Amino acid sequence: MSPRSIPIEPLTREAFAAFGDVIDTRGADCFPINQGRTQRYHALGAVDLLGEGGEAIISIFRGQPLQPLLIGLMERHPLGSQAFIPINGRPFYAVVAAPGEFAEQSVRAFLVTGDQGINLRAGTWHAPLLPLHPDSDYLVVDRRGPGDNCDEVLLRQPLTLQP
C-alpha cells in the first residue's frame, strides 16, 4: 500500500494546543529574577502524572533520523505527559493525533525548530522520535512508575511528510 502524505505545519501554541504545550520563549509570560539578571519564562508546560505512584523524571534521548521517512507506528502514554526539548539546537518533526480513540485520518505533522520544544499531554498519540539530523539530543521530562504507560498502534496506511 502506498503511503499517505500529510503536510508539515509550523509549530505554534494555537495549532498545537489540542496535543500539548509548545516550549518556546516567544510570546511566553516572563519576569525578571536574580536581581534582574535573568528572565524567567514561566510555566511553559505542565507535567501530567496520572495513576498512583508516578514520579516525574528527566532523561536525555539521543535520536537518529528515520530513513526512509515512512511512519508506520503511533504510540501514546496514558499516565503521563512527555516533553522533548532539543539540547543541541536541532529540529525535529512532531507527528501527533488527539488523545482518545486513535483516528488515523486526523494525524498532523509539525516542524519543531531547534529553539522550540514540545510537551505532549497524557494520552496524545505521537510517532516515535523523528529528528532530522544524526545524534540529536533531547532533554525529556516524563513519568515513571507503576501501570501500563505505553500503547502502540500500527497504521493501516504508512505516512510520509510533505514540506
Side-chain angles (χ1 to χ4, degrees):
M1 174 180 293
S2 63
R4 181 172 64 96
S5 182
I6 60 173
I8 300 168
E9 303 175 48
L11 183 66
T12 65
R13 283 184 174 80
E14 297 77 24
F16 201 72
F19 314 109
D21 307 304
V22 174
I23 300 171
D24 189 346
T25 58
R26 291 172 288 220
D29 291 334
C30 72
F31 51 88
I33 61 172
N34 302 129
Q35 298 173 317
R37 295 180 297 105
T38 303
Q39 287 293 319
R40 178 178 174 139
Y41 294 90
H42 188 67
L44 298 176
V47 177
D48 295 335
L49 294 175
L50 309 176
E52 289 190 39
E55 65 178 334
I57 60 170
I58 299 171
S59 305
I60 293 177
F61 289 13
R62 178 164 292 149
Q64 308 302 324
L66 179 61
Q67 296 176 342
L69 183 54
L70 193 61
I71 300 160
L73 171 82
M74 298 286 282
E75 63 181 33
R76 69 176 173 182
H77 307 287
L79 298 179
S81 56
Q82 193 173 44
F84 294 88
I85 303 145
I87 295 174
N88 48 8
R90 295 181 177 157
F92 64 102
Y93 295 125
V95 176
V96 295
E101 187 174 333
F102 180 67
E104 192 162 327
Q105 294 303 314
S106 71
V107 174
R108 294 172 64 186
F110 295 90
L111 174 62
V112 185
T113 63
D115 62 350
Q116 296 175 305
I118 58 170
N119 182 45
L120 299 167
R121 283 193 174 72
T124 296
W125 291 99
H126 61 92
L129 188 60
L130 295 170
L132 277 64
H133 303 284
D135 297 327
S136 293
D137 290 345
Y138 303 89
L139 184 71
V140 177
V141 179
D142 61 357
R143 177 195 186 275
R144 79 168 170 189
D148 186 7
N149 194 29
C150 187
D151 299 326
E152 295 180 343
V153 62
L154 295 175
L155 300 178
R156 291 188 308 272
Q157 182 178 18
L159 295 174
T160 62
L161 306 180
Q162 60 186 357

